[in-house]
Amino acid sequence: MALGPRLDLRQSQSLVMTPQLQQAIKLLALSNLELETFIGQALEANPLLEAGDIRADDAPLQPLEEFPSEPGADSVAEGESALDIDLSAIDRDRDTGDGDWGDGDWGGSLSAGGPGEDGPSIDERGAAGGLSLTDHLHTQIGAVAADAREALIAAALIDLIDDAGYVTASLSEAADMLGVPLAEVERALALVQSLDPTGVGARTLAECLALQAKEADRYDPCIARLIDNLDLLARGEIARLRRMCDVDEDDFADMLAELRSYDPKPGLAFDSAGEAAIAPDILLSPAPKGDGWDIQLNEATLPRAVVNRAYYVELRGGCTDKQSRAWLSEQLTEANWLIKALDQRARTILKVAAEIVKQQDGFFRRGVSELRPLTLRTVADAIEMHESTVSRVTSNKYIACPRGTFELKYFFTSGVASADGEGASSEAVKAAIRELIDAEDPRKILSDDTLVTMLKDRGFDLARRTVAKYREAMGIGSSVQRRRAKKLANLRG
């Protein structure tokens, strides 16, 4: 067989992601607040787009109501189906933005205004705009510093204080960083520790409590020994600690009460980061008639873009060359596509949220004890969409219901065996464990084995290690730790 160059023609087909589809995928994962930023950028880039006000007479979306009918079946007009992305229809060699999304991520519930309110309620507003700890300390330096040099060193130390109020670097490191003698840094630290709030600028918990005891004029030798031996207190060696302090039981109980009144993290009283309020993307309320639910997007935070047709006509009249007309046509196409993509995004979110509410109806009516195990695949199969689409829709989205505001990911939980054979949500199991521990007798602390037996009586079939894992995940100590803590709490009595 002879070797030589030759020319072949081959024809093949492949499905790739268009720029429009890539942008549609991006829109699905954005929350309403993030979408507002995205649309703001689009308004700047496209002269034909302008921000529009949502009006009840022209809103294309209607609430989905009256379960258990087909969620969203009547709300999607012909040719306007919800957006779904099938991984089999794209070129996986391209950057699609896909990732592995867990089903168990969840956000804690927050207080929220009910549906129909303009944005979150006053209970949900954080302390944004409040004075931070650093700013609060800086405003006090000028009045107490002996000179400008001491003020500068103290200001540098303040910048090394974390949100809890503790200095995060050693004094020798601060001295080397500032190029000043260690003695000057020590004097500046003493100055910082004299500022409000009391206890700020400490390097250890013991030093923080000692500063507050001195401020309260309670720093006697007995309190000093107690603070210096906090490790014994943590281990519950009360008798040994009381002998070291050389006090009787009543005095020791008073000392513990005094210690408990101090703030171990004085800096947390100030809002350094400015907690962002949670603005729900979806509003859920009981239907006025029947046993169903009304679901709608939060129009207070949902941005809207419209095409300025009059401006388009004006520009088209001034386009005399082919290049200008092509540019104007491209801008109109992009504007129309964006509006359609936003409408598809809204319908997709409503469709997914409606199925979640249908699957977790017991939670919305009776609480976390009725939370069922749920996976992305279950929702995707029910609404005939791909798993990745559901994952994107539930990412960074919050739903406000009569029970509070929850991230959509919260409703996707793993399951454990139950007596009825249907399984129970891990969140429901955690709620049951917390309820049992909160109600336990201080004189008869429940062990993990006892919890297993009591949970089995409630229909939860769990192993001891599973109970221990859930208990530790909730930050609840072991039976020994809880017995020690309750013993300390009862010393005053």
Side-chain angles (χ1 to χ4, degrees):
M1 182 177 179
L3 296 178
R6 67 179 185 178
L7 182 63
D8 292 335
L9 293 178
R10 295 182 180 179
Q11 187 175 10
S12 63
Q13 288 183 330
S14 64
L15 295 175
V16 298
M17 292 181 64
T18 63
Q20 289 82 3
L21 185 55
Q22 292 180 10
Q23 200 169 42
I25 293 175
K26 180 180 178 181
L27 291 178
L28 276 180
L30 298 181
S31 66
N32 284 0
L33 298 181
E34 293 170 334
L35 185 65
E36 184 177 3
T37 302
F38 177 86
I39 292 181
Q41 296 172 351
L43 294 178
E44 294 178 359
N46 195 324
L48 299 182
L49 283 173
E50 65 179 10
D53 297 328
I54 296 180
R55 302 187 302 273
D57 56 350
D58 65 357
L61 303 176
Q62 299 298 328
L64 304 178
E65 36 183 88
E66 298 301 332
F67 293 112
S69 60
E70 177 71 11
D74 298 332
S75 65
V76 181
E78 183 178 358
E80 297 292 339
S81 60
L83 180 64
D84 188 17
I85 292 91
D86 189 346
L87 292 182
S88 63
I90 62 177
D91 185 353
R92 299 184 70 88
D93 292 335
R94 292 175 177 262
D95 182 12
T96 64
D98 290 336
D100 294 327
W101 299 81
D103 296 342
D105 296 338
W106 57 279
S109 62
L110 299 172
S111 300
E117 294 184 5
D118 294 335
S121 69
I122 192 171
D123 295 334
E124 202 175 62
R125 302 183 184 275
L131 194 64
S132 68
L133 174 64
T134 302
D135 293 338
H136 178 67
L137 296 175
H138 277 303
T139 57
Q140 303 175 62
I141 285 295
V144 295
D147 50 45
R149 181 181 177 89
E150 187 177 53
L152 288 174
I153 298 175
L157 289 177
I158 289 175
D159 292 334
L160 298 176
I161 293 177
D162 62 14
D163 293 343
Y166 289 84
V167 175
T168 57
S170 66
L171 296 188
S172 57
E173 291 175 350
D176 292 340
M177 178 182 66
L178 298 173
V180 297
L182 180 60
E184 292 190 37
V185 177
E186 292 175 344
R187 287 196 296 271
L189 178 63
L191 175 66
V192 172
Q193 292 177 347
S194 68
L195 303 178
D196 177 73
T198 304
V200 74
R203 290 157 291 180
T204 63
L205 174 61
E207 186 176 20
C208 177
L209 299 178
L211 290 171
Q212 296 179 62
K214 292 175 182 177
E215 177 70 17
D217 196 22
R218 289 294 306 271
Y219 194 70
D220 52 39
C222 296
I223 283 285
R225 292 192 193 97
L226 177 59
I227 293 176
D228 291 339
N229 294 277
L230 293 177
D231 56 331
L232 298 179
L233 184 62
R235 294 200 299 266
E237 299 184 22
I238 305 301
R240 179 182 175 187
L241 193 55
R242 184 166 57 83
R243 288 195 301 270
M244 293 176 63
C245 295
D246 194 21
V247 294
D248 57 25
E249 292 186 1
D250 291 339
D251 289 339
F252 189 74
D254 291 338
M255 290 167 59
L256 287 180
E258 179 72 20
L259 203 62
R260 292 193 191 98
S261 67
Y262 299 152
D263 188 355
K265 297 181 179 180
L268 295 185
F270 295 82
D271 180 29
S272 59
E275 293 183 4
I278 296 296
D281 304 89
I282 306 159
L283 304 178
L284 177 70
S285 61
K289 296 180 180 179
D291 298 329
W293 299 94
D294 282 345
I295 303 178
Q296 56 184 327
L297 295 180
N298 185 4
E299 295 183 350
T301 61
L302 184 65
R304 184 170 183 261
V306 296
V307 176
N308 191 332
R309 301 291 177 181
Y311 189 52
Y312 168 73
V313 173
E314 182 179 349
L315 288 179
R316 186 176 60 180
C319 292
T320 57
D321 58 284
K322 183 177 180 181
Q323 184 177 2
S324 299
R325 288 194 298 270
W327 173 84
L328 184 60
S329 177
E330 180 183 355
Q331 296 299 311
L332 179 62
T333 300
E334 290 182 357
N336 285 331
W337 178 88
L338 177 60
I339 293 174
K340 182 178 180 180
L342 291 174
D343 184 58
Q344 286 180 321
R345 170 189 178 273
R347 297 178 187 279
T348 305
I349 292 175
L350 283 175
K351 193 171 184 179
V352 172
E355 182 61 28
I356 292 175
V357 173
K358 180 180 178 181
Q359 295 283 347
Q360 301 290 8
D361 183 73
F363 166 83
F364 293 104
R365 297 184 185 279
R366 293 177 289 277
V368 70
S369 61
E370 297 292 328
L371 197 62
R372 297 174 50 192
L374 186 63
T375 62
L376 295 174
R377 180 174 294 277
T378 302
V379 174
D381 292 343
I383 62 178
E384 298 181 349
M385 285 187 176
H386 197 273
E387 240 179 294
S388 63
T389 305
V390 178
S391 178
R392 290 185 180 92
V393 169
T394 55
S395 177
N396 300 320
K397 307 292 191 309
Y398 291 84
I399 182 171
C401 64
R403 294 191 174 276
T405 300
F406 299 87
E407 188 179 7
L408 291 181
K409 289 286 187 183
Y410 174 78
F411 301 104
F412 295 91
T413 61
S414 57
V416 297
S418 63
D420 56 13
E422 295 184 359
S425 166
S426 59
E427 294 301 321
V429 175
K430 289 180 181 179
I433 293 174
R434 183 177 293 278
E435 180 183 349
L436 291 173
I437 291 178
D438 289 343
E440 68 184 355
D441 188 343
R443 295 168 296 180
K444 191 177 181 181
I445 303 299
L446 302 176
S447 65
D448 289 343
D449 290 325
T450 306
L451 289 173
V452 169
T453 303
M454 298 177 72
L455 289 171
K456 187 170 295 186
D457 294 338
R458 293 192 174 198
F460 302 117
D461 187 10
L462 287 85
R464 180 186 179 280
R465 61 180 179 275
T466 305
V467 172
K469 180 184 70 173
Y470 287 161
R471 175 179 52 74
E472 292 170 359
M474 292 185 291
I476 299 176
S478 64
S479 58
V480 175
Q481 293 171 326
R482 299 200 306 275
R483 184 180 296 107
R484 183 184 303 151
K486 293 186 178 183
K487 182 179 179 181
L488 289 174
N490 293 332
L491 272 180
R492 185 175 177 81

